Amino acid sequence: MDKHSNSREDRRRFLKTTGTLATVGVTGLAGCMGGNDQSGQTSTTPSDGTAAGSDNPRKKYGLKELDYEVEDRLNIFQWGDYWPDGTVQDFEKAYGVTVNVSNYASNEEMFNKLKAGGTSQYDLIFPSDYMINVLVNQGMIQKLDMQKIPNYSNLDKKFTDTPYDPNPGTYSAPYQWGTSGIGYNKQMLGGDVDINSWDAMWNPKWKGQMTMLNDMRETMGAALKRLGYSLNTKDEKKINEAKETLINQKKLLKTYDSSNFTTNLINKQASPVHGWSGGVFQAYWETYKNGSSPIGYTVPDEGGVIWVDNGAITKEAKHPNAASAFINYYLNAKIGARITNYTYYGSPNKAAEEYINKDILNNKSIYPDSKTMKKLEYIRNIGQATLMYNEAWTEIKNA
């Protein structure tokens, strides 16, 4: 979010004066919060007190002493642009750990890097929901030692009893969450429009200016939800029906795009777009001026995807205690609130709500109402049915 630092203060002032966050969603990307493509970059933050952060983080955030010994290093593999300024440095100061951070741009990139070079390269990773199940099945992450993560109890139970962790809470600790839906620039759509259905992405009125995510499960999922089906269906007939609707839609599209929809919304080069809430939210604040923005975001009435990024410890982590300590750290109520107050993601940390800005908690684009939540689905590991999706996606892309 460094490139958005100027607008960050504007949006905070806006929240304080209006008590609203307009109609858009959460900051981040891809069911996966990284705002900028920083794949492969590595940074090392010093623990000598010269880095940004609080003078006394233990006192400021009420960080308790750990009853286990922590290694002096921690290697993290994560999405880019993940933490409020000083968050990692505060952990270093509090626990005397030097943290090395490397970034990836997709769950698949992270998986392939671990598969190729071994899981001992990193201690702590941040996979999105469905990837947890894959990593468990591949023996690439280890069970969490809950005795070392007492702040796990701060989590809302609906984020610990999830379909993607084989034994809820055993392998993963939720970090932040968001949705996918439709973003749009009203200036490209002929004025004040109200988009509330996936049908908008099949509207010939906007031929040549619409984009869908270049993501098999997300885009197949959107088509399935439009048809009234689960985005995790294993029914070949339903999968083929979704395939045909996407083939028919293709002539209306500008392109499939997972990387540039934020910029395209800002520059009026694409609208409406299928996108992750955070990417649309970035476009909103980049175009926010004089109390408003032309950018809107909606989770269609038919429903969409809910995603959660999670901390997980690699199977061969060289510094497992430091990884556990860092998970416990971000699950601290005040740290959790600090993250959400910065990113405007939904927080799975129930204890943090006491410290989260009320304007965020009351915003239905960040915290959808119960009616909308019931229509959201996690992308699940669907086993062998993935082959049917792969075949359908190949046909769609080649049509």
Side-chain angles (χ1 to χ4, degrees):
M1 285 181 211
D2 290 343
K3 65 183 288 188
H4 304 290
S5 58
N6 292 334
S7 59
R8 191 179 304 131
E9 283 309 310
D10 292 338
R11 75 191 186 201
R12 284 180 177 149
R13 282 194 292 270
F14 173 67
L15 280 167
K16 289 179 180 177
T17 56
T18 66
T20 182
L21 204 58
T23 59
V24 294
V26 206
T27 315
L29 288 180
C32 358
M33 296 174 50
N36 302 320
D37 185 1
Q38 301 174 351
S39 173
Q41 293 183 3
T42 303
S43 61
T44 303
T45 51
S47 55
D48 58 4
T50 61
S54 308
D55 290 336
N56 190 339
R58 280 186 178 275
K59 182 177 180 180
K60 183 174 182 179
Y61 298 106
L63 302 176
K64 296 180 180 179
E65 289 285 349
L66 300 172
D67 60 3
Y68 54 93
E69 206 171 307
V70 178
E71 302 90 356
D72 62 1
R73 298 187 72 83
L74 175 64
N75 299 318
I76 298 179
F77 201 24
Q78 63 173 54
W79 302 89
D81 191 26
Y82 223 45
W83 310 97
D85 294 342
T87 306
V88 172
Q89 292 87 344
D90 280 348
F91 173 79
E92 292 182 308
K93 292 178 182 179
Y95 297 107
V97 177
T98 297
V99 179
N100 306 301
V101 176
S102 298
N103 300 318
Y104 53 81
S106 71
N107 283 290
E108 288 68 31
E109 180 186 337
M110 176 267 295
F111 176 84
N112 291 334
K113 182 71 179 292
L114 293 177
K115 197 72 173 174
T119 61
S120 64
Q121 301 171 88
Y122 306 102
D123 306 303
L124 180 62
I125 57 177
F126 285 87
S128 300
D129 36 68
Y130 72 93
M131 186 55 69
I132 292 292
N133 188 258
V134 174
L135 292 166
V136 170
N137 290 340
Q138 292 287 321
M140 296 170 74
I141 56 177
Q142 61 180 269
K143 290 184 179 181
L144 299 180
D145 184 344
M146 292 303 175
Q147 296 299 315
K148 296 178 180 177
I149 310 174
N151 285 337
Y152 190 89
S153 62
N154 287 341
L155 289 165
D156 190 318
K157 289 185 178 180
K158 67 172 173 275
F159 290 104
T160 59
D161 185 14
T162 60
Y164 58 80
D165 193 322
N167 295 299
T170 302
Y171 292 93
S172 62
Y175 169 63
Q176 297 265 269
W177 64 279
T179 61
S180 61
I182 299 174
Y184 52 96
N185 188 319
K186 296 176 184 178
Q187 294 174 348
M188 290 186 67
L189 304 184
D192 192 15
V193 296
D194 186 18
I195 291 178
N196 52 30
S197 169
W198 284 115
D199 287 343
M201 303 306 299
W202 276 259
N203 190 336
K205 181 178 180 181
W206 298 316
K207 181 179 180 179
Q209 67 184 55
M210 298 185 290
T211 66
M212 296 289 287
L213 287 170
N214 189 20
D215 183 297
M216 179 183 75
R217 293 298 304 278
E218 283 277 9
T219 293
M220 289 285 291
L224 287 164
K225 296 300 279 188
R226 178 173 179 254
L227 293 168
Y229 305 142
S230 167
L231 56 82
N232 294 301
T233 184
K234 299 180 182 179
D235 187 314
E236 185 174 8
K237 183 178 179 181
K238 293 177 180 178
I239 294 169
N240 284 332
E241 189 178 348
K243 176 190 71 177
E244 292 303 323
T245 64
L246 288 169
I247 289 174
N248 291 334
Q249 179 207 42
K250 194 171 180 182
K251 63 180 177 291
L252 302 176
L253 298 181
K254 179 184 179 75
T255 188
Y256 292 102
D257 172 36
S258 295
S259 303
N260 302 308
F261 66 86
T262 301
T263 303
N264 287 337
L265 281 173
I266 293 169
N267 296 332
K268 293 188 282 189
Q269 295 177 330
S271 176
V273 302
H274 174 208
W276 293 292
S277 52
V280 179
F281 187 65
Q282 289 176 7
Y284 177 91
W285 285 110
E286 284 292 327
T287 55
Y288 178 79
K289 187 177 182 180
N290 298 326
S292 66
S293 168
I295 305 300
Y297 175 77
T298 186
V299 174
D301 289 343
E302 301 93 338
V305 171
I306 178 175
W307 55 262
V308 181
D309 280 0
N310 304 265
I313 302 175
T314 61
K315 187 71 172 182
E316 300 173 303
K318 295 178 180 177
H319 313 103
N321 284 353
S324 292
F326 194 90
I327 291 174
N328 193 62
Y329 170 72
Y330 75 70
L331 293 180
N332 170 281
K334 290 184 178 180
I335 295 294
R338 177 185 181 185
I339 294 167
T340 289
N341 289 337
Y342 172 88
T343 64
Y344 293 100
Y345 279 105
S347 175
N349 193 326
K350 188 70 176 176
E353 292 182 5
E354 178 183 353
Y355 308 103
I356 294 173
N357 291 338
K358 295 299 182 287
D359 306 306
I360 294 176
L361 289 175
N362 295 331
N363 186 272
K364 291 185 178 180
S365 293
I366 300 176
Y367 290 89
D369 58 29
S370 58
K371 181 180 178 182
T372 302
M373 288 293 288
K374 289 177 181 178
K375 297 177 181 179
L376 298 173
E377 291 186 81
Y378 290 104
I379 293 176
R380 300 194 187 195
N381 178 10
I382 51 174
Q384 291 299 312
T386 303
L387 296 175
M388 290 188 287
Y389 282 79
N390 286 335
E391 291 173 3
W393 187 240
T394 298
E395 286 189 51
I396 293 164
K397 297 299 286 288
N398 291 336

